[in-house]
Amino acid sequence: MRILGIETSCDETAAAVVEDGVRVLSSAVSTQHELHRRFGGVVPEIACRAHIEHVLPVVATAVEQSGGGLAELDGVAVTTTPGLIGALLIGVTAAKALSWALELPLLAANHLHEHIYAAWLADRTPSLPAVSLVVSGGHTSLFLTEGPLEHLLLGGTVDDAAGEAFDKVANILRLPYPGGPAIDRAAAGGNPRAVDFPRSWLGPDSDDFSFSGLKTAVLYHCLGTNPTREDIESASYGPQFVADVAASFQEAVVDVLAGKAMRAVERHGAASLIVGGGVAANSRLRERFEREAAERGVELHLAPRALCTDNAAMTAGLGCHLLLAGRAASLDVEAVP
Ligand code: KG4
Ligand code: ZN
């Protein structure tokens, strides 16, 4: 069974072909980082225009690289929620048009479930039930996962998402957008214990997350308690200062993510732990989760690094399960932000 996936929820225009839910035959991603960089974040209007320009060429590339044609496809999967509404609409409209013209089932995928499904595209299938942690630019969410399509929300962020905190702290440190990879690189030369930033646990039993206080603590550490926008934009720091702050900030985020995820595994008696989303590409996060999982005997499934950030292989893979479950969408399915 071959599914074409289309993903345009944020700032990557992506298409992929996946066979039988797990074999990635092709995965094409056109990233818009260059377009958004000078604004320090994603500008929705610019994202939409770029999706319109790129969606059909990216689909054509994915189909061509799959080694088959449109005639070999069994369904068209697309991210319908959540994301930037204008951006989602481009992918959803393209998928509807293809589904109608090719007379193929349309499969509506949830982006958070896609990030979890990325773990299925690695070598081993996760044992279930699993605790799933999605750490992306828009979300920090813990789920109890009973299957590729069954996820019960345990908790989420009460303010900034983990990726958003990386992007904002990178901005404070005058590192380029996207901030996550820039902090990851800068932190490599820093001391994670240089600054004791706060860890927000939100009480001993909470499965929720908060990163806004940590971001403010970084700002105060760099510029004092009352900086203006000009102070932030004109600041310049030495490379070792940046490396130490980046490493200490990253350590604080990873401490909380690992602590809460491991605790949820224990509390729910889960058979494994799944981690996906853009921040799951972070080197320190991967190191820490691998070490702690090994120490505690937890079966860990990190999404493959290349499939942590937005891609359509996870969309197509999840689409296969939607089709097998008889859950095709109708052509009037809506994009929901
Ligand atoms: O999953 P994703 O591609 O998009 C959303 O669904 O939001 O995640 C993007 C986020 C951005 O905030 C980016 O800075 C972060 O993931 N990110 C990272 C790394 N690579 C991407 N954060 C930390 N370390 C990384 N290596
Ligand atoms: Zn995403």
Side-chain angles (χ1 to χ4, degrees):
M1 181 179 288
R2 267 187 200 196
I3 306 292
L4 167 69
I6 300 176
E7 201 312 287
T8 62
S9 65
C10 191
D11 61 344
E12 329 274 0
T13 315
V17 178
V18 171
E19 191 161 57
D20 297 333
V22 285
R23 256 192 316 289
V24 182
L25 301 181
S26 63
S27 177
V29 180
S30 164
T31 175
Q32 303 172 7
H33 292 164
E34 290 305 324
L35 297 177
H36 299 291
R37 183 158 293 146
R38 71 193 180 95
F39 302 101
V42 178
V43 181
E45 291 78 3
I46 293 176
C48 295
R49 211 169 309 144
H51 284 312
I52 293 173
E53 274 172 34
H54 294 289
V55 71
L56 292 180
V58 167
V59 166
T61 302
V63 172
E64 192 182 308
Q65 291 178 349
S66 72
L70 292 171
E72 269 81 31
L73 297 176
D74 298 295
V76 182
V78 64
T79 308
T80 57
T81 192
L84 300 171
I85 184 62
L88 287 167
L89 271 171
I90 314 298
V92 170
T93 307
K96 284 181 179 179
L98 282 165
S99 150
W100 179 75
L102 300 170
E103 296 182 31
L104 291 173
L106 178 66
L107 306 153
N110 175 299
H111 190 60
L112 300 184
H113 301 174
E114 292 171 11
H115 274 305
I116 296 171
Y117 191 76
W120 266 258
L121 300 173
D123 303 338
R124 301 168 302 147
T125 305
S127 302
L128 299 172
V131 161
S132 300
L133 173 67
V134 179
V135 270
S136 68
H139 293 84
T140 310
S141 308
L142 266 181
F143 294 92
L144 186 62
T145 293
E146 303 271 2
L149 303 175
E150 290 153 67
H151 309 279
L152 174 75
L153 185 65
L154 300 174
T157 181
V158 298
D159 41 53
D160 291 353
E164 199 179 345
F166 269 94
D167 294 335
K168 288 179 176 168
V169 165
N171 213 315
I172 295 169
L173 292 174
R174 313 311 297 148
L175 292 168
Y177 178 84
I183 291 206
D184 197 340
R185 281 192 300 274
N191 173 6
R193 273 177 285 281
V195 191
D196 186 17
F197 287 127
R199 274 80 169 147
S200 176
W201 297 101
L202 299 173
D205 295 325
S206 173
D207 285 329
D208 288 329
F209 299 89
S210 164
F211 294 109
S212 148
L214 171 59
K215 172 197 66 190
T216 307
V218 174
L219 181 65
Y220 288 179
H221 178 79
C222 293
L223 291 166
T225 52
N226 211 3
T228 62
R229 179 129 293 278
E230 281 90 73
D231 294 337
I232 299 173
E233 283 168 7
S234 62
S236 92
Y237 310 102
Q240 195 55 49
F241 178 86
V242 170
D244 286 342
V245 173
S248 303
F249 158 77
Q250 188 175 265
E251 199 67 10
V253 174
V254 172
D255 269 354
V256 174
L257 293 176
K260 292 205 175 222
M262 297 295 167
R263 192 175 65 190
V265 169
E266 259 172 46
R267 197 185 299 156
H268 294 278
S272 70
L273 171 62
I274 294 171
V275 192
V279 180
N282 184 267
S283 319
R284 182 65 181 147
L285 178 147
R286 298 180 82 86
E287 231 174 70
R288 273 286 296 280
F289 272 74
E290 270 162 9
R291 199 189 70 209
E292 286 202 27
E295 280 169 10
R296 294 163 183 253
V298 169
E299 179 188 311
L300 176 69
H301 299 267
L302 292 169
R305 209 171 195 144
L307 299 179
C308 285
T309 45
D310 289 343
N311 65 85
M314 59 191 192
T315 316
L318 192 65
C320 177
H321 289 271
L322 286 164
L323 185 56
L324 288 172
R327 286 173 51 182
S330 68
L331 278 176
D332 59 6
V333 67
E334 292 191 23
V336 177

